[in-house]
Amino acid sequence: MTTAWKREQIQALFELPFNDLLFQAQTVHRAHFKPNEVQVSTLLSIKTGACPEDCKYCPQSARYDTGLEKEQLMEVQQVLKQAERAKSTGATRFCMGAAWRDPKDRDMPKLQAMIQGVRELGLETCMTLGMLNGEKAQALAEAGLDYYNHNLDTSPEYYGDIITTRTYADRLNTIENVRSAGMKVCSGGIVGMGEQAKDRVGLLQQLANMEQPPESVPINMLVKVPGTPMADLDDLDPFEFVRTIAVARILMPTSHVRLSAGREAMSDELQALCFFAGANSIFYGEKLLTTDNPEAEADQQLFARLGIVPEQRSVHQQQLEQEATAVDQAHQALAPEPLFYNAAP
């Protein structure tokens, strides 16, 4: 069981002097990760637009006129071609997203083939497909899916102001189904959606206090898309964004904290602060589903200037780690019970 973080403890971290907070976050980061390595993923929209949900930030919702053209589920070979390209630019994980409420039975064979094909390339796999029941989660796990992304988005208290077509409990239930199927969890949120500071506290509290925190925690800055209800919101103070990264690092010391959506509008200096605050994962590629993202070449140049290198990961490495863990657990199970003797009176 993880540490049960209280709201006042998390609030106190947010209220630390900026340098003190970053020093603490960097200290935690160095205790669990190589400080100059960043995990690199690529995200592809495998089915775009016409989503029935009403998430106020999302250009893929069918309820908003954002000029986005809807597209059907991509063919397997199209996806694998994009995965090969991602690998060639240095990505070690390939994430596939579909704008659905939930995947239908008819879609599952194609999704499973995508997972198997991407893994054969030596890449880790991640999908975000909306809500999952236990049966579909198990089917994706059996196909070899490594991670499933399902963000909480914000605090439970503010959630109803952002989304009405699915509940917070729905999201937690999907994450529980993912865990039960044996997959790793990718779950985070979006800041800059008009929430209050207490909502950023509430979001991180929900994530950190899960029985097992997400292995991957994306922290997104709202990308304000014309046509969505959040197009005209005021910008969040960039220092508050860095604070959110730093507090996430302290609360979830062994998770990869991903500097995710919104990087296109961030200066190199702001991104460098985020890396110092404990962010150690990004998305490569010019698109994050439908919104702009820095091109891989620009990220490579920034990495070179900062002395950062991509973290080396592969499904083969992951299999070795899982096998080693299984051997350790087997040895522990076979070990004789310790004998205790009472001292002579």
Side-chain angles (χ1 to χ4, degrees):
M1 182 67 180
T2 58
T3 301
W5 288 93
K6 297 179 181 178
R7 277 183 176 259
E8 53 266 31
Q9 292 175 304
I10 302 172
Q11 183 65 45
L13 289 172
F14 270 99
E15 292 175 353
L16 284 172
F18 189 71
N19 287 341
D20 291 350
L21 175 60
L22 262 61
F23 177 80
Q24 187 170 334
Q26 178 65 197
T27 302
V28 170
H29 184 64
R30 285 174 178 266
H32 296 89
F33 291 97
K34 295 180 180 180
N36 296 305
E37 286 190 355
V38 171
Q39 187 276 326
V40 177
S41 299
T42 292
L43 176 60
L44 174 69
S45 178
I46 59 173
K47 185 271 175 186
T48 302
C51 181
E53 306 283 18
D54 68 352
C55 309
K56 290 183 179 179
Y57 54 79
C58 187
Q60 301 207 65
S61 173
R63 299 162 187 257
Y64 314 130
D65 183 11
T66 62
L68 184 71
E69 293 189 14
K70 61 183 180 181
E71 299 174 3
Q72 297 299 315
L73 182 62
M74 293 174 67
E75 294 301 322
V76 175
Q77 288 306 314
Q78 290 178 287
V79 172
L80 297 185
K81 184 176 180 180
Q82 292 296 320
E84 289 176 346
R85 180 185 174 195
K87 183 178 180 180
S88 71
T89 62
T92 58
R93 185 180 308 158
F94 192 68
C95 306
M96 295 159 273
W100 285 323
R101 178 175 172 81
D102 57 349
K104 302 297 182 285
D105 290 341
R106 65 176 180 271
D107 302 313
M108 294 302 293
K110 189 178 284 188
L111 296 172
Q112 290 169 306
M114 291 176 187
I115 294 165
Q116 292 162 354
V118 172
R119 281 181 62 87
E120 286 172 3
L121 294 172
L123 292 168
E124 292 181 315
T125 54
C126 179
M127 281 187 165
T128 178
L129 313 168
M131 295 186 291
L132 284 184
N133 60 28
E135 181 181 353
K136 287 188 172 68
Q138 190 61 45
L140 294 174
E142 290 175 358
L145 188 62
D146 299 298
Y147 291 80
Y148 192 81
N149 167 261
H150 202 63
N151 290 336
L152 295 183
D153 286 350
T154 189
S155 69
E157 295 79 11
Y158 191 57
Y159 182 84
D161 293 343
I162 306 298
I163 303 155
T164 67
T165 49
R166 74 173 78 166
T167 66
Y168 214 78
D170 289 334
R171 290 184 180 264
L172 293 172
N173 185 58
T174 288
I175 291 172
E176 183 177 343
N177 290 336
V178 169
R179 277 282 181 229
S180 297
M183 291 181 285
K184 293 182 174 67
V185 171
C186 174
S187 185
I190 307 170
V191 297
M193 295 193 295
E195 78 280 354
Q196 298 180 45
K198 65 181 181 180
D199 296 308
R200 293 186 284 279
V201 169
L203 167 65
L204 295 184
Q205 183 188 35
Q206 288 290 316
L207 294 166
N209 284 350
M210 289 181 179
E211 186 170 351
Q212 182 178 355
E215 285 83 359
S216 180
V217 181
I219 304 296
N220 299 273
M221 179 76 88
L222 175 69
V223 178
K224 293 178 281 189
V225 179
T228 65
M230 295 191 162
D232 299 318
L233 289 179
D234 292 337
D235 290 340
L236 180 72
D237 180 353
F239 290 125
E240 190 65 21
F241 182 78
V242 178
R243 285 182 180 275
T244 306
I245 294 279
V247 174
R249 166 51 64 221
I250 295 167
L251 301 185
M252 293 169 279
T254 62
S255 301
H256 279 78
V257 177
R258 177 174 296 133
L259 179 56
S260 199
R263 285 201 306 122
E264 175 70 11
M266 295 180 191
S267 68
D268 289 349
E269 293 80 5
L270 176 56
Q271 292 185 67
L273 271 180
C274 290
F275 292 133
F276 187 75
N280 63 337
S281 179
I282 64 165
F283 280 120
Y284 260 178
E286 65 273 12
K287 286 286 184 183
L288 290 186
L289 296 179
T290 62
T291 57
D292 291 338
N293 193 54
E295 294 184 1
E297 184 177 350
D299 285 326
Q300 291 164 359
Q301 292 173 356
L302 178 59
F303 276 18
R305 292 167 65 198
L306 298 178
I308 288 175
V309 296
E311 180 184 273
Q312 296 304 305
R313 299 177 63 85
S314 72
V315 295
H316 308 303
Q317 173 193 347
Q318 187 183 78
Q319 288 166 352
L320 290 173
E321 292 172 353
Q322 291 172 342
E323 289 168 5
T325 300
V327 169
D328 288 342
Q329 291 173 342
H331 286 166
Q332 291 171 9
L334 294 173
E337 291 293 323
L339 299 177
F340 297 96
Y341 297 94
N342 291 325

